[in-house]
Amino acid sequence: MEIIRTLIVGLVMGIENVIPGVSGGTMAAVFNIYDQFVNAFTLNIKKIWQNRKFVFPLVFGMLMGVLIFANMVSILYEKFYVQTSYFFTGLILGSLPCLFNYMIEKKDGKKFSAGKICALIVCVAVAFTLLIFIGRLEGTMTASDMASTLPEQTLGLTLKLFIAGVLGAVAMIIPGVSGSLVNLMMGVYPVIMKSIPSLFVPNLFLKSLFLLLPNGIGLLIGLVSAAKLIGFILKRLPNHSYAFIFGLICASAVNIFPGFTCLDSPGKAIGSIISLIVGAVLTFFCSKLAKKEEEKDSSEAKKAETEAVQENASETPAESKE
């Protein structure tokens, strides 16, 4: 029964990872498997095998979720590019309040010094400027470019797909950040979404496979190598880490927003605005739910620690009398 539950959780996480702005890590926190998820992916093959009843159903479920939902996203991009872009912009905007709260959260209860506030502002500004610059580089692919056809394989595209896979895996580990959002930032999201359903088209199979392989290899490398590192950085510099992420997310919303000039009819304008609102509400409440789950887990952990200390304290006098 536990294997079936893990499979379903993986399916949901796979679907969530297809949607930019909705985090698979958030879903892991919601289903209370976040720590197990982070600890399961390691370079230690023996440890992976020991956790096979968790790892294999989860990975299989995630793959199924991606395969099922990717085709739908590809169709939406082809038929309703403007509305879909507005929806994804809404998904990104909806995650900002939660990320902002993570950024300003005072773990030790102390007020931020002026130096720390400046450091957080610098982190946001650097991340924002960096991604805006990347988004404006000549040759950056957009959803409209890739909505109808698969691109030709080039060394630059292969490298970009690989890096997006590594960074996407890192993003999957962080609650509140979406792996597919990284693909969108890197300009390869439409390529991946178009390539996945094309695997089932005989004459496009090899082309799709070679487009997806760099991203898949990057994803695996990111999962097994970056989980511990990201956990360490988030533990040591949580506010600065989330400030940098906040800047990236803000910039990604600017990069993918299609603008207002494309709203050339009342129907398209209304549909796009509704899509924006629905997307924002969806990620806002998903982020709030994940935050509540995290606070609940933290509270339960502190309670268990307090009970353990009290139990040890009550046993000590009895031992001394003996």
Side-chain angles (χ1 to χ4, degrees), residues 1-277:
M1 191 66 186
E2 188 63 27
I3 291 177
I4 295 174
R5 178 184 179 274
T6 305
L7 183 69
I8 294 171
V9 171
L11 184 70
V12 173
M13 287 180 65
I15 293 172
E16 297 297 340
N17 274 306
V18 170
I19 305 173
V22 183
S23 167
T26 297
M27 290 298 105
V30 168
F31 286 110
N32 203 26
I33 64 162
Y34 181 74
D35 290 335
Q36 195 176 2
F37 172 67
V38 171
N39 293 325
F41 293 95
T42 172
L43 289 171
N44 190 334
I45 303 299
K46 185 178 179 181
K47 188 175 180 181
I48 292 176
W49 181 251
Q50 288 173 346
N51 293 318
R52 63 187 180 277
K53 290 185 179 179
F54 171 78
V55 174
F56 293 161
L58 185 74
V59 171
F60 182 75
M62 289 173 69
L63 288 173
M64 290 301 297
V66 170
L67 288 172
I68 291 169
F69 210 68
N71 191 42
M72 186 183 302
V73 171
S74 180
I75 292 171
L76 287 172
Y77 257 126
E78 289 182 23
K79 305 296 183 183
F80 307 100
Y81 168 64
V82 175
Q83 294 88 335
T84 303
S85 296
Y86 265 80
F87 177 69
F88 285 159
T89 303
L91 289 173
I92 295 169
L93 295 177
S95 67
L96 290 179
C98 182
L99 287 172
F100 183 78
N101 288 333
Y102 278 122
M103 182 179 75
I104 64 172
E105 188 175 11
K106 301 177 180 66
K107 295 286 184 181
D108 53 8
K110 297 179 182 179
K111 290 184 177 180
F112 287 167
S113 64
K116 187 169 185 177
I117 293 173
C118 289
L120 295 180
I121 294 172
V122 169
C123 287
V124 173
V126 168
F128 184 87
T129 304
L130 178 65
L131 196 59
I132 289 293
F133 175 73
I134 292 173
R136 296 295 184 269
L137 283 177
E138 186 179 355
T140 299
M141 288 170 293
T142 63
S144 58
D145 296 328
M146 296 295 114
S148 56
T149 59
L150 289 174
E152 292 301 319
Q153 188 99 31
T154 63
L155 180 61
L157 177 58
T158 301
L159 184 61
K160 191 181 287 189
L161 285 163
F162 174 76
I163 295 172
V166 175
L167 297 179
V170 172
M172 282 172 58
I173 296 164
I174 305 171
V177 185
S178 165
S180 56
L181 181 58
V182 173
N183 290 327
L184 198 62
M185 292 175 184
M186 296 288 293
V188 298
Y189 179 77
V191 183
I192 295 169
M193 290 301 102
K194 187 68 180 178
S195 297
I196 292 172
S198 296
L199 286 170
F200 302 97
V201 180
N203 62 327
L204 293 176
F205 173 77
L206 285 177
K207 187 174 184 178
S208 302
L209 180 64
F210 283 112
L211 283 169
L212 290 172
L213 272 177
N215 191 257
I217 293 170
L219 186 67
L220 288 174
I221 291 174
L223 279 175
V224 300
S225 64
K228 299 297 181 184
L229 176 62
I230 294 303
F232 176 77
I233 294 173
L234 283 172
K235 188 175 181 180
R236 294 295 298 271
L237 297 168
N239 302 109
H240 300 79
S241 301
Y242 277 106
F244 193 83
I245 294 167
F246 185 82
L248 291 177
I249 302 301
C250 289
S252 69
V254 174
N255 281 343
I256 73 164
F257 183 62
F260 298 105
T261 55
C262 55
L263 305 179
D264 48 13
S265 68
K268 186 179 286 187
I270 293 171
S272 298
I273 297 302
I274 291 174
S275 297
L276 182 78
I277 294 170

